[in-house]
Amino acid sequence: MAAAHLPLAGITVVSLEQAVAAPFATRQLADLGARVIKVERPGEGDFARRYDETVHGQSSHFVWLNRSKDSVTLDVKTPGGREVLERLLAGADVFVQNLAPGAASRLGLSARELAERHPSLVVCDISGYGADGPWADRKAYDLLVQCETGVVSVTGTPEAPAKVGIAIADIAAGMYAFSGILTALYERLATGVARAVSVSLFEALAEWMGYPAYYTAYSGAQPPRVGAAHATIAPYGPYAAADGATVLLAIQNEREWASFCAEFLDDASLATDPRFHRNSARVARRAELDAIVTARFAELTADEAVAVLDRAKVANARLNTVADLLDHPVLAGRDRWRDVPTPGGPVRALLPPATLTGVEPRMDPVPGVGEHTEAVLTELGYAAEAISALRDAGAV
């Protein structure tokens, strides 16, 4: 579908971005039709391009995060590169950066300085621990933030903590940057005021820790690590069926508990048994309850167990692998896959989760390093000789 039919058509985003958080935010803007000009280092570009070589010789992270963008290489520390960047910003609506701590300010690209030069520009800064405060200069990577926010302390088994298997700090920050930018664009449209947006990985993930934070603050003890089970709801977790497959179930209220007892456990009296009559009692006697549930699962194959749980209207799921996700019937049945070109060859990509009625998201190619540099410079008014001079100077 042509960009003119997309909600953010006509919006230009310039992004000094790397790794995950900022590229995730800007890719979502690109999905909605914004033109995203990704500024990369001359030569190798965004270092996330080299995380691995699994997708037709390309990084899985980079392919995921950078479709539908224009790649322009600039050395913004050179006079020529800075001049190009200023010309880009003069015609942009949004500027995003997630450089190392203090780097944007050293380059004269702080939100305050940019507001003076480009008052209609929405500036979004993504940092590790905030642009000010005691840890403003501290580097932050996803696993480090998972540890600092306590995520790792509530994840894993009683014997060993574990990190979450995806980059949730980066993803959380990217999501809040995306929503913050949309909010700022809406306010600029309504009032003419372009407000700056700032997001830190630490504060984004601290927000996601809201439930264990409240639980700890008001109970005096944090939720225990219980592997794939739920720390404060029971029964809620995985059970092995007779054929060796794993089925997860989730009881959310007493109505479901009663149905589970009558239909699945075949013992309606357990619903009112003083040992299990409410969730806090079931959590306190988790081991005793799990023994009962485990024994019942041992009598059924996974398919049989799912059928009974479905009949009882108890939510359940299979313990899938990533390969299972790729072939999941929901994604196929809802036509969620599209083919996206990349420099190494086409890949399958999922449509964005938010579906707008009548809008087909933009799913354009993943760019090569600097693929659009010459075209963008030409748009900015640089003649061929000037572009050659910039290349010779190492500015692009």
Side-chain angles (χ1 to χ4, degrees):
M1 182 176 289
H5 298 292
L6 292 171
L8 294 185
I11 296 293
T12 297
V13 180
V14 174
S15 190
L16 271 173
E17 62 180 29
Q18 54 196 358
V20 176
F24 187 46
T26 59
R27 197 218 72 195
Q28 294 177 89
L29 296 169
D31 291 342
L32 294 175
R35 183 186 189 189
V36 175
I37 299 174
K38 179 183 179 76
V39 177
E40 303 190 65
R41 299 173 183 83
E44 295 186 333
D46 182 345
F47 59 75
R49 286 182 179 272
R50 301 181 302 285
Y51 278 166
D52 59 66
E53 301 83 32
T54 58
V55 185
H56 303 316
Q58 305 158 109
S59 159
S60 50
H61 274 85
F62 193 86
V63 169
W64 166 44
L65 296 167
N66 290 284
R67 65 173 180 251
S68 304
K69 298 180 184 180
D70 291 351
S71 172
V72 172
T73 51
L74 289 179
D75 183 346
V76 296
K77 296 180 180 179
T78 65
R82 282 301 309 281
E83 179 191 344
V84 173
L85 182 60
E86 283 299 315
R87 289 202 196 183
L88 285 172
L89 293 176
D93 299 282
V94 179
F95 173 63
V96 181
Q97 69 85 16
N98 69 330
L99 301 176
S105 293
R106 291 192 295 272
L107 291 168
L109 297 172
S110 68
R112 178 185 57 79
E113 292 168 296
L114 287 171
E116 294 173 355
R117 301 199 301 273
H118 308 288
S120 66
L121 185 68
V122 170
V123 177
C124 179
D125 297 316
I126 302 175
S127 63
Y129 295 99
D132 54 18
W135 284 21
D137 296 328
R138 194 179 183 96
K139 284 188 175 181
Y141 300 115
D142 184 84
L143 176 55
L144 308 182
V145 177
Q146 287 195 39
C147 289
E148 286 289 347
T149 55
V151 168
V152 171
S153 78
V154 297
T155 307
T157 65
E159 296 74 28
K163 71 180 287 292
V164 178
I166 57 175
I168 59 168
D170 286 294
I171 294 168
M175 287 300 303
Y176 287 119
F178 173 55
S179 62
I181 290 166
L182 293 179
T183 303
L185 287 172
Y186 179 83
E187 182 170 10
R188 190 186 70 170
L189 179 65
T191 69
V193 175
R195 296 194 185 277
V197 178
S198 60
V199 178
S200 78
L201 274 69
F202 180 79
E203 288 162 5
L205 206 50
E207 164 67 19
W208 285 19
M209 285 291 287
Y211 135 68
Y214 276 115
Y215 187 96
T216 302
Y218 291 94
S219 73
Q222 74 175 44
R225 293 191 301 272
V226 289
H230 196 290
T232 58
I233 301 175
Y236 191 151
Y239 296 91
D243 56 1
T246 299
V247 177
L248 288 89
L249 65 90
I251 299 297
Q252 289 286 297
N253 53 58
E254 298 313 306
R255 175 185 53 77
E256 292 179 355
W257 168 241
S259 178
F260 177 69
C261 291
E263 296 284 342
F264 188 82
L265 297 180
D266 200 24
D267 186 352
S269 68
L270 286 172
T272 54
D273 187 313
R275 296 173 298 167
F276 310 127
H277 71 293
R278 61 183 180 183
N279 180 63
S280 58
R282 295 193 291 274
V283 171
R285 291 176 170 83
R286 184 191 299 274
E288 190 175 351
L289 174 60
D290 276 349
I292 296 171
V293 178
T294 297
R296 176 61 174 139
F297 265 96
E299 300 172 350
L300 303 169
T301 67
D303 286 344
E304 291 169 341
V306 167
V308 178
L309 290 168
D310 285 346
R311 188 168 66 245
K313 294 183 168 50
V314 171
N316 62 85
R318 307 294 184 111
L319 183 59
N320 280 342
T321 65
V322 179
D324 294 329
L325 170 66
L326 294 175
D327 292 327
H328 203 286
V330 171
L331 297 177
R334 285 176 45 76
D335 190 29
R336 302 303 293 177
W337 292 103
R338 298 291 183 274
D339 288 333
V340 171
T342 79
V347 300
R348 283 200 312 164
L350 284 171
L351 290 170
T355 300
L356 278 66
T357 302
V359 173
E360 176 76 10
R362 182 181 176 200
M363 303 286 283
D364 286 351
V366 175
V369 181
E371 180 179 337
H372 304 92
T373 302
E374 187 165 341
V376 170
L377 291 176
T378 301
E379 287 180 34
L380 293 174
Y382 285 89
E385 296 79 6
I387 296 173
S388 294
L390 288 170
R391 291 194 189 280
D392 291 342
V396 300

